Amino acid sequence: MALQTAPGRTATPAVTRSVPQPTWRGRLFRFETRAAPYLYVSPFFLLFFAFGLFPLVWTAWISFNEFTLGSPMTFVGLDNYRWLFSSPEFYNSLWRTITIGILSTVPQLLLALGLAHLLNYQMVVRNFFRISMLMPYATSVAASTLVFAQLFGRDAGFVNWVLSWFGVDAVDWRNGDLTAQIAIAVIVTWRWTGYNALIYLAGMQSIPRDLYEAAAIDGASKWQQFRHVTLPGLRPTILFTVVVSTIGATQLFGEPLLFGNGQANGGAMNQYQTLGLFMYQQGWEYFNLGRAATVAWVTFVLVVALVLLNTGIARWRTREGKAAR
């Protein structure tokens, strides 16, 4: 039957299209498309929640309790934090952590930068030197610390033997204040310099060679190329190594513990007791896990503050550099 719409015209009947019903394969494909990204990243987040976030939250809860091994927890509020910020031992360990961190981080990064600059040149057996840089990093903390403890021995140590050539009396490295910190800083520097050098080397090789060629055409010396081409190009890499080294210095534990023959007091005068050793002493020598958790949380906040400070300084220097151009 024809439909009447307008005079002289006949409307065609409406064509109804049937929508195909999705098959189970189509539903499965759409589900896989939507769920696959979440499934791929879920192992990381599961591990992070289990071994990162949960211990962090649980440690925060313990820090508000008096908790010793073998006894129930008792909520004490901020008492552990009041004890910590009135404890001279805490400020001593904080100061030792800062001094050892400076003594180890600054020479370490400067040496790494120089070594990376040398390795960036074409030289014979360059790959051998690059691989050799990782050898200290591959050495365990225990092995390297025990060897350096022998080298820094007072009576038969190699370092005192070398100093005796120049008429210097034997130095009691372990029992001295600054000398013990220098010895630990040398161990840390030896282990991490090669690792940072390879990071710097990778950053240097990402800098376009055209910049060096243009600088050479303009008459720039090697030192000027290093200052005005290499260092600006390495700025993000340097920031990364500074942040990582700062975090590592804040968590320094194994080297001072083994250098002191396994004692957590950091020497007879606590001259090299870091925050890590102080936390270990509270938790596993005095068995006061509530106070140890408090030290851990304050250390965590300190690390976050230092990272934010480093990042802020780096961004400020970047803005200053762009404004000066």
Side-chain angles (χ1 to χ4, degrees):
M1 182 178 68
L3 297 177
Q4 292 183 354
T5 54
R9 301 185 65 178
T10 303
T12 57
V15 178
T16 59
R17 297 180 179 178
S18 62
V19 179
Q21 295 296 322
T23 62
W24 69 271
R25 287 181 180 274
R27 294 192 186 99
L28 182 62
F29 177 76
R30 285 199 295 272
F31 173 77
E32 182 182 0
T33 303
R34 295 175 180 174
Y38 299 99
L39 291 176
Y40 291 150
V41 300
S42 62
F44 166 77
F45 285 102
L46 289 175
L47 292 175
F48 172 72
F49 283 126
F51 300 104
L53 187 60
F54 174 73
L56 200 63
V57 175
W58 182 245
T59 304
W61 169 247
I62 293 177
S63 68
F64 293 108
N65 289 269
E66 182 180 354
F67 180 36
T68 56
L69 286 178
S71 62
M73 288 193 294
T74 304
F75 185 77
V76 294
L78 295 174
D79 284 357
N80 287 331
Y81 289 91
R82 294 191 189 96
W83 160 82
L84 183 67
F85 290 117
S86 61
S87 170
E89 290 82 7
F90 166 68
Y91 291 105
N92 174 73
S93 62
L94 177 61
W95 176 246
R96 306 301 179 184
T97 302
I98 293 173
T99 54
I100 295 176
I102 294 174
L103 288 173
S104 59
T105 301
V106 175
Q108 174 192 143
L109 296 183
L110 291 177
L111 285 172
L113 195 59
L115 289 173
H117 184 65
L118 293 176
L119 289 175
N120 201 27
Y121 286 107
Q122 295 292 335
M123 62 173 65
V124 182
V125 292
R126 181 174 58 177
N127 289 333
F128 170 77
F129 288 115
R130 291 180 178 179
I131 296 174
S132 301
M133 289 291 172
L134 279 179
M135 295 301 291
Y137 177 69
T139 308
S140 70
V141 177
S144 58
T145 305
L146 292 176
V147 169
F148 273 93
Q150 298 297 319
L151 294 177
F152 283 106
R154 184 188 62 182
D155 298 324
F158 176 78
V159 177
N160 279 344
W161 178 63
V162 173
L163 291 177
S164 66
W165 297 351
F166 304 96
V168 179
D169 295 333
V171 179
D172 193 356
W173 294 94
R174 182 170 296 170
N175 293 321
D177 187 355
L178 182 61
T179 56
Q181 297 180 47
I182 291 174
I184 294 172
V186 169
I187 301 171
V188 177
T189 302
W190 180 80
R191 287 200 70 233
W192 292 97
T193 297
Y195 174 82
N196 287 312
L198 291 183
I199 293 178
Y200 285 148
L201 179 62
M204 288 178 183
Q205 292 184 342
S206 67
I207 299 174
R209 304 302 302 176
D210 299 345
L211 298 178
Y212 291 100
E213 293 173 1
I217 292 174
D218 291 339
S221 63
K222 293 291 184 183
W223 172 244
Q224 289 173 326
Q225 293 178 24
F226 179 76
R227 283 186 56 197
H228 300 292
V229 178
T230 304
L231 287 183
L234 276 182
R235 188 165 294 164
T237 308
I238 293 174
L239 173 63
F240 170 76
T241 55
V242 168
V243 170
V244 172
S245 300
T246 303
I247 294 174
T250 311
Q251 299 173 342
L252 196 60
F253 175 73
E255 289 86 350
L257 179 69
L258 295 172
F259 188 74
N261 293 325
Q263 300 296 319
N265 57 359
M269 301 179 296
N270 306 118
Q271 65 269 28
Y272 51 89
Q273 187 182 46
T274 59
L275 285 174
L277 286 183
F278 184 59
M279 178 179 64
Y280 178 82
Q281 185 183 44
Q282 296 299 321
W284 301 109
E285 285 193 355
Y286 302 155
F287 301 110
N288 195 327
L289 298 183
R291 290 184 174 181
T294 307
V295 179
W297 249 94
V298 171
T299 305
F300 172 72
V301 173
L302 181 65
V303 169
V304 173
L306 289 175
V307 170
L308 293 177
L309 178 64
N310 283 331
T311 306
I313 292 175
R315 289 182 177 177
W316 174 71
R317 291 295 305 273
T318 303
R319 285 197 298 269
E320 289 291 319
K322 290 181 178 178
R325 291 175 185 174

